[in-house]
Amino acid sequence: MKYIILLLICFTVQCGLAQDASTYESVTKTFQEDFNAQNIDAIFNMYTSEMQESMTKEGVSSFINGCYGQFGSIKNITFVETAEGVYSYKVKFDKTILTMDLQLSVNGKISTIQFQEL
């Protein structure tokens, strides 16, 4: 009986992690498409309400336009690792490669996004 309960717990945890991974994959794909299209409204709507309040639409516009102007379009986003709930990716732009740290809320909205040099 103990083994059955342990097996059920492991299965439940695996399903939760797989669902998180698919949500992150979907969000990164959508972010790449909207970034390359310079669709500021769509990117702003991907953020949590707290992020929207702290960054404002004008701030998001400056961030996206600045990144696009400096780095070019996103060619691909490759998953690297997960640490303490933050997913890290290698992002290849036209002109450079950066790391991106991404954290989503429980409803799949961006609560943290940060780009850094490798």
Side-chain angles (χ1 to χ4, degrees):
M1 185 69 171
K2 290 179 188 177
Y3 294 111
I4 293 173
I5 292 173
L6 183 59
L7 181 63
L8 288 174
I9 290 171
C10 289
F11 181 72
T12 303
V13 169
Q14 285 282 35
C15 289
L17 292 175
Q19 187 173 7
D20 274 354
S22 67
T23 301
Y24 274 82
E25 184 177 335
S26 174
V27 168
T28 56
K29 182 179 179 187
T30 302
F31 180 83
Q32 178 179 355
E33 291 168 356
D34 290 336
F35 179 91
N36 290 341
Q38 295 292 278
N39 190 344
I40 304 303
D41 289 334
I43 293 172
F44 185 75
N45 290 331
M46 293 176 73
Y47 288 2
T48 62
S49 57
E50 294 82 14
M51 282 280 288
Q52 289 176 346
E53 289 175 17
S54 66
M55 291 207 46
T56 72
K57 191 177 284 191
E58 293 78 22
V60 172
S61 179
S62 294
F63 170 69
I64 298 301
N65 291 330
C67 287
Y68 191 85
Q70 187 174 359
F71 309 128
S73 63
I74 296 174
K75 296 299 181 191
N76 63 42
I77 300 175
T78 307
F79 174 75
V80 176
E81 67 179 352
T82 304
E84 298 177 15
V86 177
Y87 283 57
S88 295
Y89 298 87
K90 183 170 82 171
V91 181
K92 183 176 181 188
F93 291 87
D94 288 327
K95 302 174 186 175
T96 192
I97 298 173
L98 301 175
T99 60
M100 176 178 74
D101 292 335
L102 180 68
Q103 187 170 35
L104 302 179
S105 66
V106 293
N107 61 352
K109 297 277 191 170
I110 297 173
S111 59
T112 301
I113 186 166
Q114 180 179 6
F115 290 93
Q116 301 174 24
E117 291 183 9
L118 287 174

